[in-house]
Amino acid sequence: MLDIKQVRLDPQAVAGALSKKFYSFDAAQFEALDAVRKQADMNSQNLLAERKKASKQIGELIKSGLNIDEAKAQVNESLAKIEAELEALKLQAKEANDALDQLLMAVPNLPAEEVPEGKDESNNIEVLRWGEPRNFDFDVKDHVDVGEHLGGLDFEVATKITGSRFAVMRGGLARMHRALIQLMLDTHTREHGYQEVYVPYMVNADSLRGTGQLPKFEADLFKLQGDSEYYLIPTAEVPVTNLYRDTIVEAAELDKGLRFTCHTPCFRSEAGSYGRDTRGMIRQHQFEKVELVQFVRPEESDAALEALTGHAEAILQKLNLPYRKVILCGGDLGFSARKTYDLEVWLPGQSAYREISSCSNFGDFQARRMLARWRNPETGKPELLHTLNGSGLAVGRTLVAILENYQQADGSLAVPAVLQGYMGGVEQLLPGEF
């Protein structure tokens, strides 16, 4: 959520900044609601002064000739009228405040100044490439054909069990999928200083509001039926970031580093995908991800984004998968993000780079919604933290990249060297072994 003080200071400037995200902020509506709230507060203060003055009038009325009962009755009548008006103003102010909250909850974060202009992903700017795409001396298959030929990837059975956009993996591919998760968790905990956490796969609405999925993106979520309002998590970002909801972190704890990594399944309805990537494992309703989450001081968040993105890149480099890093333009930037780097892995089956990780700095946007704070030892007062997260990596898409980049002419699949130790020394997966 945006800082309402910043919005009040210059609503037009906020509207201008949000236009980079192609979001039309209704500054006039905000100013009108805020004027109602302000006027109600002013009128309430005036009435409180009148109430204080009225309560002192009994003596004056008695001096003017009224008996004590008549004086009390007249003052009580005046006080009752003031109280009724105060209640009406209190309700008016509450309604205005609620409307302001509802308005701001639907407003995205302001983009950082360095975020480039642009409407969609075609305007994202490449900042680096790593690795050289492999030259194949045979016809390249996509991951679906490679996996089905091996016998380890089955979409038909998954559709029978559940429906479209699900997959069944068997044997060596299932083992490789598990090995990737272990590699990622081991790397981030042993080399990058993250603490591994295990979290619920269901969350309440408050948690989703805290990270920005609600109220705007409810259609993208799977909501459970039952007495409690639970949702399946769309990403581990939600439960992990909410670890510090309604919390004040002491500076000493923050100095130790609040870095968390977490493996979870993720569940997304893909309501806005409009039929994109219906083939294979690129865009599914259920997939696995290893998430990276950091909480930092405001002045540290820019550097933290660079570091966190590097941690995700390290996995791609260990797997020797060619990729590129792009900074998202305003029109492609997520609702809660102020700046985002996407890592896009090379998929020879598509002859294209495709997103495999999205690493974002949210500034204090999520922290304000969650009241996630740290205590500044210089002032002794709580201040908002900055939050960051990124995929380190999306496991299914990493498997897709291996299937396409490590396929062999005889239909086998070479196992990346860094995974062989996790797979009992297996160096290749052969058709018919499943």
Side-chain angles (χ1 to χ4, degrees):
M1 179 182 281
L2 298 182
D3 183 353
I4 194 169
K5 294 179 182 177
Q6 181 183 8
V7 183
R8 282 174 179 152
L9 186 65
D10 195 341
Q12 295 301 329
V14 169
L18 287 170
S19 67
K20 184 184 276 190
K21 280 191 168 184
F22 289 82
Y23 180 85
S24 179
F25 176 64
D26 194 338
Q29 182 187 14
F30 173 85
E31 290 176 309
L33 288 170
D34 204 38
V36 171
R37 176 208 57 81
K38 184 177 181 180
Q39 189 62 53
D41 287 344
M42 289 175 57
N43 291 343
S44 294
Q45 292 300 317
N46 292 336
L47 282 172
L48 288 171
E50 285 186 33
R51 185 174 68 179
K52 185 176 181 180
K53 181 180 179 181
S55 63
K56 297 178 179 179
Q57 288 181 335
I58 294 178
E60 296 175 6
L61 290 172
I62 292 173
K63 288 179 182 179
S64 69
L66 292 179
N67 63 47
I68 189 169
D69 290 335
E70 290 174 327
K72 285 183 177 180
Q74 187 169 328
V75 168
N76 286 338
E77 182 181 353
S78 178
L79 287 172
K81 183 179 179 182
I82 291 173
E83 291 296 338
E85 292 178 4
L86 277 171
E87 284 299 314
L89 287 170
K90 188 185 297 183
L91 178 61
Q92 188 180 42
K94 182 181 183 303
E95 289 175 347
N97 275 317
D98 288 347
L100 281 170
D101 284 344
Q102 186 176 3
L103 173 66
L104 290 179
M105 284 291 277
V107 175
N109 199 1
L110 301 178
E113 289 185 12
E114 62 269 27
V115 169
E117 301 282 351
K119 188 172 184 180
D120 55 36
E121 61 186 19
S122 65
N123 303 120
N124 295 339
I125 296 178
E126 182 178 311
V127 295
L128 69 80
R129 289 195 184 199
W130 186 93
E132 289 294 329
R134 174 184 165 194
N135 290 318
F136 292 84
D137 57 5
F138 58 90
D139 291 337
V140 175
K141 299 177 181 177
D142 72 1
H143 70 281
V144 176
D145 290 337
V146 175
E148 289 181 341
H149 179 70
L150 286 170
L153 196 55
D154 196 327
F155 296 100
E156 185 176 342
V157 168
T159 300
K160 178 182 71 174
I161 294 170
T162 307
S164 62
R165 295 200 175 187
F166 292 90
V168 168
M169 287 177 275
R170 294 189 175 96
L173 281 191
R175 187 177 187 183
M176 182 179 286
H177 187 268
R178 174 163 52 89
L180 283 168
I181 295 166
Q182 197 65 55
L183 168 69
M184 294 174 193
L185 291 173
D186 285 350
T187 300
H188 298 315
T189 55
R190 297 173 183 175
E191 300 178 20
H192 301 148
Y194 289 81
Q195 180 186 108
E196 184 177 352
V197 293
Y198 172 86
V199 294
Y201 301 161
M202 297 182 292
V203 292
N204 56 36
D206 286 341
S207 294
L208 289 158
R209 275 190 287 270
T211 47
Q213 280 81 12
L214 288 179
K216 191 173 179 64
F217 302 105
E218 185 162 14
D220 295 325
L221 303 170
F222 285 110
K223 186 175 183 179
L224 302 180
Q225 299 296 317
D227 295 335
S228 300
E229 190 180 26
Y230 290 148
Y231 297 80
L232 294 176
I233 59 170
T235 165
E237 168 199 348
V238 179
V240 178
T241 308
N242 274 275
L243 290 173
Y244 287 87
R245 174 156 52 96
D246 298 322
T247 300
I248 300 174
V249 179
E250 296 301 328
E253 184 180 358
L254 197 55
D255 288 338
K256 295 176 183 177
L258 296 181
R259 293 181 172 186
F260 302 96
T261 185
C262 184
H263 160 247
T264 67
C266 306
F267 306 92
R268 298 184 184 178
S269 71
E270 297 293 350
S273 62
Y274 304 111
R276 293 169 55 199
D277 298 314
T278 55
R279 177 175 168 81
M281 295 175 64
I282 295 294
R283 196 178 299 274
Q284 295 197 293
H285 293 309
Q286 174 186 309
F287 60 95
E288 312 279 308
K289 193 147 63 81
V290 171
E291 193 76 1
L292 306 174
V293 174
Q294 292 192 28
F295 301 85
V296 300
R297 290 176 175 83
E299 65 271 18
E300 298 170 346
S301 66
D302 288 340
L305 177 61
E306 302 299 324
L308 184 147
T309 307
H311 300 153
E313 291 179 72
I315 304 298
L316 290 167
Q317 292 173 12
K318 283 176 179 285
L319 293 166
N320 198 27
L321 291 170
Y323 69 91
R324 69 174 193 160
K325 174 182 173 182
V326 300
I327 181 173
L328 300 196
C329 68
D332 201 29
L333 200 57
F335 177 82
S336 299
R338 69 185 302 270
K339 182 179 180 180
T340 296
Y341 289 117
D342 270 6
L343 302 180
E344 300 177 347
V345 69
W346 175 252
L347 297 183
Q350 297 186 18
S351 296
Y353 286 96
R354 296 300 304 270
E355 179 196 336
I356 196 168
S357 174
S358 192
C359 302
S360 299
N361 181 359
F362 303 100
D364 60 13
F365 186 82
Q366 292 180 327
R368 182 171 289 105
R369 296 164 80 105
M370 296 188 302
L371 288 180
R373 295 163 291 172
W374 71 289
R375 192 180 307 280
N376 189 329
E378 295 181 3
T379 64
K381 296 180 179 179
E383 298 178 9
L384 293 172
L385 289 160
H386 278 202
T387 61
L388 305 96
N389 73 50
S391 305
L393 303 162
V395 183
R397 291 196 180 193
T398 308
L399 184 64
V400 166
I402 291 172
L403 284 167
E404 297 198 5
N405 284 279
Y406 281 84
Q407 61 182 293
Q408 305 299 307
D410 62 0
S412 65
L413 181 72
V415 176
V418 73
L419 290 181
Q420 291 173 16
Y422 290 100
M423 297 186 65
V426 173
E427 298 181 358
Q428 63 177 344
L429 304 180
L430 300 172
E433 287 189 336
F434 296 89

